């Protein structure tokens, strides 16, 4: 059983929902990333998604694009990101870490070498934004053989046949993108997300984490009621951008944002019925 599976099963058994924050490695500076990862855990993170900075992050909005630019200015590479996780593991051997990024840096390193290095560093999952399931036959087995969960994205437009195909390659959890568009844009329609997540659960036994559009405790709780986990990205990255000149202030700002989401998720006791009122939140 992978670390991700173990954590998600434990949360489910206790009636809790996963809180999965995302930050970009190397932002605002490579020597701060490990400390920020520990800060996220202390604030209530169950799993960390760590972005690998890339020059053309096509699925990401301006906030994460700018984070990648800040990280790349300091020369943050895939090898450095893996080394950050290895350093994180010196103090934390329980919190799963998922690398989220694009295929090109992994291809440049060599898929097998990347998989081996990631495993040895204590990485638990890989989410490759631009790797479709139709082209995953070479890469996904390398991850599986080394105990790395291959995580894939589902969109509001993903067909049933494609959900089933993705589920064949996916492990750990599936990442449901709550609306059409890039990160940091749009609003969440909770009834729509609820219906889609319920339908995805009919087609796969994997837990479903929902990302895009979670901005505060209110939206985290709304999404947590209808999913297995809440994935928080752009609002954290924006907080980093606004507090990048003061390390302690930055850690405090991240805690002030993330901890209330943890509390809101832990306070969930029911799933509200959707009436005629507008449940659009964002």
């Amino acid at each position: 059983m992978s670390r991700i599976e173990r954590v998600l099963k434990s949360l489910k058994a206790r009636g809790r929902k996963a809180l999965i924050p995302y930050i970009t490695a190397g932002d605002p500076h490579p020597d701060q990333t490990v400390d920020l990862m520990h800060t996220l855990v202390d604030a209530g993170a169950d799993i960390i998604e760590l972005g690998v900075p890339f020059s053309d992050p096509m699925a990401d909005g301006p906030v994460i694009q700018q984070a990648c630019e800040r990280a790349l200015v300091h020369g943050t590479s895939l090898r450095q990101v893996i080394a950050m996780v290895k350093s994180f593991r010196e103090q934390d051997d329980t919190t799963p870490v998922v690398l989220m990024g694009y295929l090109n840096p992994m291809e440049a390193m060599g898929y097998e070498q990347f998989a081996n290095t990631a495993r040895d560093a204590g990485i638990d999952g890989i989410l490759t934004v631009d790797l479709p399931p139709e082209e995953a036959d070479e890469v996904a087995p390398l991850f599986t053989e080394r105990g790395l969960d291959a995580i894939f994205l589902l969109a509001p437009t993903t067909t049933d046949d494609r959900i089933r195909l993705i589920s064949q390659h996916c492990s750990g959890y599936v990442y449901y993108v709550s609306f059409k568009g890039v990160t940091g844009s749009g609003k969440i329609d909770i009834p729509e997300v609820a219906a889609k997540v319920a339908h995805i659960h009919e087609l796969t036994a994997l837990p479903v984490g929902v990302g895009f559009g979670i901005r505060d405790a209110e939206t985290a709780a709304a999404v947590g009621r209808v999913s297995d986990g809440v994935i928080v990205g752009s609002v954290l990255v924006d907080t980093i951008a606004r507090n990048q000149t003061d390390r302690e202030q930055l850690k405090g700002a991240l805690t002030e944002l993330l901890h209330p989401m943890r509390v809101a998720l832990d306070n969930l006791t029911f799933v509200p019925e959707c009436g005629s009122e507008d449940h659009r939140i964002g």
Side-chain angles (χ1 to χ4, degrees):
M1 185 184 298
S2 72
R3 235 183 312 237
I4 293 173
E5 184 180 0
R6 187 181 307 117
V7 164
L8 292 176
K9 283 190 173 183
S10 175
L11 289 170
K12 184 177 181 179
R14 291 178 286 150
R16 299 179 70 209
K17 303 301 177 79
L19 180 58
I20 309 174
Y22 165 97
I23 60 172
T24 301
D27 175 40
H29 192 279
D31 67 8
Q32 292 177 252
T33 298
V34 174
D35 198 21
L36 293 183
M37 292 170 71
H38 289 301
T39 297
L40 296 177
V41 174
D42 291 341
D46 297 299
I47 298 170
I48 293 174
E49 286 188 357
L50 188 61
V52 179
F54 186 58
S55 58
D56 187 23
M58 66 187 79
D60 294 302
V63 170
I64 294 180
Q65 288 180 16
Q66 291 163 14
C68 287
E69 291 173 4
R70 290 192 296 270
L72 290 172
V73 163
H74 298 296
T76 307
S77 67
L78 176 57
R79 291 184 184 276
Q80 286 179 312
V81 176
I82 294 172
M84 292 172 188
V85 180
K86 187 173 183 179
S87 178
F88 173 76
R89 286 284 172 242
E90 293 175 3
Q91 296 182 46
D92 188 323
D93 194 40
T94 58
T95 305
V97 176
V98 175
L99 289 195
M100 185 173 183
Y102 295 83
L103 196 62
N104 184 266
M106 302 176 197
E107 185 177 20
M109 180 182 286
Y111 296 138
E112 186 167 3
Q113 183 178 1
F114 165 72
N116 289 337
T117 307
R119 174 201 59 200
D120 295 343
I123 291 166
D124 302 286
I126 312 294
L127 197 167
T128 310
V129 176
D130 53 349
L131 178 64
E134 293 87 353
E135 299 176 17
D137 287 341
E138 177 185 358
V139 182
L142 289 174
F143 297 161
T144 302
E145 290 165 4
R146 289 155 180 80
L148 300 169
D149 285 316
I151 298 166
F152 285 84
L153 299 171
L154 297 178
T157 54
T158 304
T159 65
D160 288 2
D161 286 344
R162 192 168 179 80
I163 292 172
R164 294 188 186 95
L165 176 62
I166 287 171
S167 296
Q168 293 173 10
H169 293 284
C170 189
S171 61
Y173 60 92
V174 292
Y175 185 134
Y176 177 63
V177 176
S178 65
F179 53 77
K180 303 172 188 176
V182 296
T183 56
S185 65
K187 294 184 177 182
I188 295 179
D189 186 325
I190 297 300
E192 187 175 287
V193 170
K196 187 66 176 184
V197 170
H199 184 63
I200 293 170
H201 276 140
E202 294 175 356
L203 301 174
T204 178
L206 289 167
V208 180
V210 176
F212 287 38
I214 291 89
R215 305 175 187 276
D216 51 28
E218 181 186 4
T219 51
V223 172
R225 288 189 183 99
V226 302
S227 69
D228 301 298
V230 173
I231 302 166
V232 187
S234 291
V235 67
L236 294 173
V237 176
D238 182 58
T239 299
I240 291 172
R242 289 186 287 105
N243 295 275
Q244 59 183 297
T245 59
D246 188 318
R247 294 188 179 216
E248 292 306 312
Q249 179 177 302
L250 170 54
K251 290 162 61 177
L254 288 176
T255 299
E256 289 177 9
L257 180 61
L258 195 64
H259 183 64
M261 297 186 191
R262 172 78 276 161
V263 173
L265 289 174
D266 289 346
N267 286 339
L268 291 177
T269 57
F270 67 100
V271 179
E273 293 183 4
C274 298
S276 58
E277 64 180 304
D278 186 3
H279 289 265
R280 215 169 267 277
I281 301 176

